[in-house]
Amino acid sequence: MPPTHPVIQAIQDAMPPEGTETYNLYEKDVKTLEEVKEYLRTWFIRQPGGYSREWDGAHYTLVVGFRRGYCSHQVFVDTDTGSYIFTCDEEKEIPPFVTGEFSSFEAVIDDIAVYFAKVLEEAKFDGLLIVDDIHFNEHTQRFFDDIKQTKYDITSSEIIDIVLDPTDLNAIDLSSVNSVCRWSSNFRFFDLSAGEEHYILLAHVARSVRRPTIIDIGPSRLSAAALSLATEKTVRSFDLISSLPSDPSVPTAIHIPNVRLEIGPNYMRDLPDHLRTSDLVLLDIDHLGKSERDIFKVLEEAKFDRLLIVDDIPLNEHMQRFWDDIKQTKYDISSSGHWHR
């Protein structure tokens, strides 16, 4: 068997052993030139087979490369001249985008790293970027989370478009759940029109969202009843203590098939799991501001980016201050909800 050409041998000697874990670009926090070089050192793996190709009349032999899915990158070396090309996807004959004279594998790394660093620094692309598989694993999720520019998660191809037309709102009939609301002293408000009370608004928004879970945080089981009119969704109603009648025979919202009542301090721990399948959270608790802020922090840490309805924002200075401090996009829709203004 003839000896391996010195150029190829030098590259092979620089390679990590077969089976060494390799990485994709998005799995590394690559920022500086040195980080790019370190990434490249672990990126290339041995590529068996000695695949060859012609380029500009020269004969190049594949010595190392990396393949993921339909995309592959390779270093080809012309053993006659000692020059190399670094290219992408030989099957589609994409021209090499880094070339140079081979002296060592470190020199190849330097050349390619400089190219990547230049692309990262100079592109200044300000158009529309679609990032695939952002929820594929923790690395892709972190990459998406770290993007500081304006961004939208369109994984589900959903656009929540809710029109608050007074005529349509007041055409909504809540009477099908009246029987489970009569126990409450607030039942006298339940069927008031939109703009006087918010129950019709809740039913409308619940029917408009698409994800299968609606989260109701607070003691008002009347809200859960209104939300339950989105019968194809599950309403998870959370509170620290029960405000239901002590007599279990009294009809309440927990008798509605798509309502799940969860009472106790653990709901804050369980909330992030339910947020993953929810488009809508209703926050209607003690209206003192602190609890609202605590729950809002949970939503932020869970990166919940769908709809949050905050009840009673102009009720008192605590709620108004909480509302004013929210930096995310928000709309005061009191005119379709409560009568406070």
Side-chain angles (χ1 to χ4, degrees), residues 104-176:
S104 68
F105 184 67
E106 284 299 314
V108 177
I109 291 292
D110 286 348
D111 289 346
I112 299 172
V114 169
Y115 170 82
F116 280 143
K118 185 178 180 181
V119 170
L120 292 171
E121 181 180 356
E122 295 183 357
K124 296 180 181 177
F125 176 73
D126 61 356
L128 181 65
L129 172 66
I130 297 178
V131 182
D132 187 39
D133 287 330
I134 60 174
H135 303 301
F136 181 72
N137 57 34
E138 62 178 307
H139 308 292
T140 57
Q141 185 65 59
R142 191 179 306 117
F143 166 72
F144 185 74
D145 293 342
D146 288 344
I147 293 175
K148 299 299 187 291
Q149 292 84 348
T150 301
K151 60 187 176 183
Y152 303 96
D153 181 349
I154 57 172
T155 304
S156 60
S157 300
E158 294 178 17
I159 298 176
I160 303 176
D161 185 12
I162 301 175
V163 178
L164 302 181
D165 179 87
T167 302
D168 293 339
L169 285 173
N170 289 314
I172 294 175
D173 183 7
L174 304 179
S175 62
S176 62

Side-chain angles (χ1 to χ4, degrees), residues 67-100:
R67 176 179 290 278
R68 178 180 181 267
Y70 297 107
C71 184
S72 58
H73 296 81
Q74 305 86 18
V75 174
F76 291 85
V77 173
D78 177 359
T79 55
D80 293 329
T81 65
S83 62
Y84 78 90
I85 60 175
F86 177 69
T87 189
C88 171
D89 205 338
E90 77 282 1
E91 296 172 359
K92 295 182 180 178
E93 295 296 319
I94 297 176
F97 51 92
V98 179
T99 61

Side-chain angles (χ1 to χ4, degrees), residues 221-238:
R221 303 287 81 82
L222 272 62
S223 295
L227 294 166
S228 75
L229 291 177
T231 55
E232 75 283 5
K233 302 177 180 75
T234 297
V235 178
R236 293 194 172 274
S237 193
F238 298 94

Side-chain angles (χ1 to χ4, degrees), residues 198-270:
H198 66 311
Y199 299 110
I200 286 176
L201 173 67
L202 297 180
H204 176 63
V205 176
R207 288 171 169 175
S208 300
V209 297
R210 300 184 183 180
R211 291 183 181 177
T213 304
I214 296 171
I215 297 174
D216 167 37
I217 304 175
S220 175
R221 303 287 81 82
L222 272 62
S223 295
L227 294 166
S228 75
L229 291 177
T231 55
E232 75 283 5
K233 302 177 180 75
T234 297
V235 178
R236 293 194 172 274
S237 193
F238 298 94
D239 200 9
L240 286 173
I241 59 175
S242 176
S243 59
L244 294 174
S246 57
D247 183 353
S249 66
V250 174
T252 66
I254 64 171
H255 295 94
I256 301 174
N258 62 325
V259 173
R260 305 288 183 271
L261 180 60
E262 301 185 31
I263 299 295
N266 289 336
Y267 83 84
M268 290 281 279
R269 180 197 65 193
D270 300 335

Side-chain angles (χ1 to χ4, degrees), residues 198 202 214-220 223 227 236 238-239 267-268 271 280-299 304 307-313 319 322-323 326 338:
H198 66 311
L202 297 180
I214 296 171
I215 297 174
D216 167 37
I217 304 175
S220 175
S223 295
L227 294 166
R236 293 194 172 274
F238 298 94
D239 200 9
Y267 83 84
M268 290 281 279
L271 184 56
L280 176 61
V281 174
L282 170 65
L283 183 56
D284 181 8
I285 43 179
D286 58 20
H287 303 106
L288 296 178
K290 183 183 183 306
S291 297
E292 284 82 2
R293 291 177 188 275
D294 290 343
I295 292 173
F296 193 81
K297 183 179 180 181
V298 172
L299 300 183
F304 180 73
L307 296 180
L308 169 67
I309 295 180
V310 180
D311 185 51
D312 288 323
I313 58 175
M319 288 303 298
F322 165 64
W323 173 255
I326 293 175
H338 272 316

